[in-house]
Structure formats: C-alpha cells, structure tokens
Amino acid sequence: MATVLLTPDELDAQAAQLHDTQAWQRIIAGWEHTAAESAPTPARPTEHGPGAPSEHRIADGVTYGTTSEPDPAPARPADWRSLLSVPVDRLIDDSLRALPAAPPRERPLPGRLGAVLPDRLHVWRRVGQSDLRPSAHLGYARRILTEWGWQNAPYRLRNARGARCVCGAMLSAHRLGYGSPDTVNRAGAWLVTELRSQGWPGLIGPWNRHPGRTAADALTLLDATIRRAALAGH
C-alpha cells in the first residue's frame, strides 16, 4: 500500500485543524491536574487501651491504684510458606514469565548521508515498527533536530545539509518508523497546544521561521510539548 507523503505545510494545517476540534479541546482541558494522593490518617492512641500504663498515687511510701493486666504474649506466627498453595520456585517462575519482554534494540538514526537522502529511501525502516505515543514521537523528532540540525528558512522538509524544521523533523521521524500518520497529527496538535499556551496564535511553521528564532528555542518548545503530552497520558 502506498504511503501518502505529507509536506510540512500540510502537517501544520492538519495539526491546527485537529487542535480546533471540540474533541481535542476536551482532551487538553485540565491536562495538568492529577488526583491528589490521600494521606493516611494517623491512628490516635487510646487513653486506657490494653497494656496502657495505669495511674498510681504514691503517698507515705505506699502505692495506691489499680494495675492493668499485662498484654498477652503474641502468638507466634506460622511459617508463611504454609500459607502457599504452590511451591515458591513455581511462583518465581510464573512471575518471571509474566514480566514484559525486553524492548527491541533501538536502531540508530542514519548518519549525515541519510539526513540528505530522500525520506522515501528510508521506508523499509517502518517494517515491524509498532506505534508510539505522541510524546515518544516528539522525542524522536527532537533527536533528529539534535543529530541532523535545525533550519528555519526556507520552510521545507530539509535544507541541502539535511537539517530539518520542526515539522520536517516530525515527518522524518514518522518516515523512519517512529509513529503512525495519526500519531504525527496528534503530536502536531500538542505542539499547537503548547504554542497557544505561550501566546503564539499562528501555526508551527511561522513560529519556526520567525526572525530571531534559534535551534535552542525549537528544542525548548519540543521539551515543553513532550512534558505536556506525557502528563496527559499521550
């Protein structure tokens, strides 16, 4: 099945449209609020419980008052192994088998030559790759900007040296096998959400090529977006 190759402009427009939907607004409403953990209520000591010291009055060398009965000696607990219905070794084996499998070895990004090659030559890297959360996808986009470089003019997938804009890094991450097209759109919507929280009313592309923008600004934006999406479970 042929893969539809979006451009950075098309990704930017789709992410903004997704951000403006009512469903997305419900997703991002209250993203930063988490349930507070209920602190255990400390037990209050009883005034005259079993084993509590009795009150005494000493006068003329004679002690008056009643003495409480001492606590009975605690019963010796039975061996915990007698409570098990299966041997301990079998429990350990069952627990080890229930552990999740080790993650596959992560494939490194292509080198500088791979950065300048057309992305369609990297389609084979998508074979066998599972989908990711938007925050994980953005993490790979950040890695692309770090290893391949960031550029802001002109607004296209990459420049002659292989550097990407923010949207270009997201598309490259998808084409390298990190995230489905739907994941890319949701990651873009989280970027737009973060930009709106910072007071930027436009799209990602104009922000990326705004005069004075730097690579550090792009990485900071991605870091903030990754945190926002991760806290929301995305």
Side-chain angles (χ1 to χ4, degrees):
M1 184 175 63
T3 303
V4 178
L5 298 181
L6 295 176
T7 66
D9 287 305
E10 291 169 340
L11 169 61
D12 208 349
Q14 290 185 10
Q17 291 173 3
L18 177 59
H19 172 272
D20 293 337
T21 61
Q22 293 183 356
W24 188 261
Q25 294 304 315
R26 287 195 296 268
I27 289 176
I28 64 178
W31 69 272
E32 56 192 346
H33 300 295
T34 56
E37 295 183 2
S38 57
T41 305
R44 299 180 59 186
T46 56
E47 260 184 64
H48 300 288
S54 58
E55 296 183 359
H56 297 277
R57 179 168 55 85
I58 302 177
D60 300 329
V62 181
T63 302
Y64 299 90
T66 58
T67 303
S68 62
E69 293 294 331
D71 288 339
R76 185 177 180 179
D79 188 353
W80 59 271
R81 292 178 179 81
S82 64
L83 303 177
L84 301 177
S85 58
V86 294
V88 176
D89 292 342
R90 179 178 170 185
L91 285 176
I92 295 175
D93 292 339
D94 291 345
S95 299
L96 291 176
R97 282 195 295 269
L99 291 176
R105 182 177 177 272
E106 184 174 325
R107 292 178 294 185
L109 291 178
R112 297 302 307 173
L113 178 60
V116 299
L117 290 176
D119 280 358
R120 65 177 179 272
L121 300 181
H122 301 302
V123 172
W124 65 270
R125 297 174 64 92
R126 295 196 56 82
V127 177
Q129 293 293 312
S130 58
D131 202 3
L132 303 170
R133 291 185 176 185
S135 57
H137 169 81
L138 289 169
Y140 284 106
R142 186 191 194 282
R143 183 175 165 189
I144 287 174
L145 292 183
T146 302
E147 297 188 16
W148 289 356
W150 170 83
Q151 61 94 16
N152 65 343
Y155 184 29
R156 56 186 181 183
L157 183 61
R158 60 183 174 274
N159 62 14
R161 295 178 291 106
R164 265 67 169 172
C165 61
V166 173
C167 285
M170 294 168 61
L171 287 175
S172 293
H174 157 63
R175 294 170 188 177
L176 289 172
Y178 304 120
S180 64
D182 179 65
T183 297
V184 180
N185 284 335
R186 290 187 289 134
W190 278 114
L191 270 172
V192 175
T193 301
E194 179 62 31
L195 288 175
R196 295 292 184 273
S197 73
Q198 298 181 11
W200 180 264
L203 300 179
I204 304 170
W207 179 92
N208 185 86
R209 60 178 181 265
H210 190 267
R213 194 72 66 205
T214 65
D217 294 336
L219 295 180
T220 300
L221 173 65
L222 285 174
D223 288 339
T225 307
I226 291 170
R227 176 181 176 274
R228 181 183 290 267
L231 288 177
H234 289 213

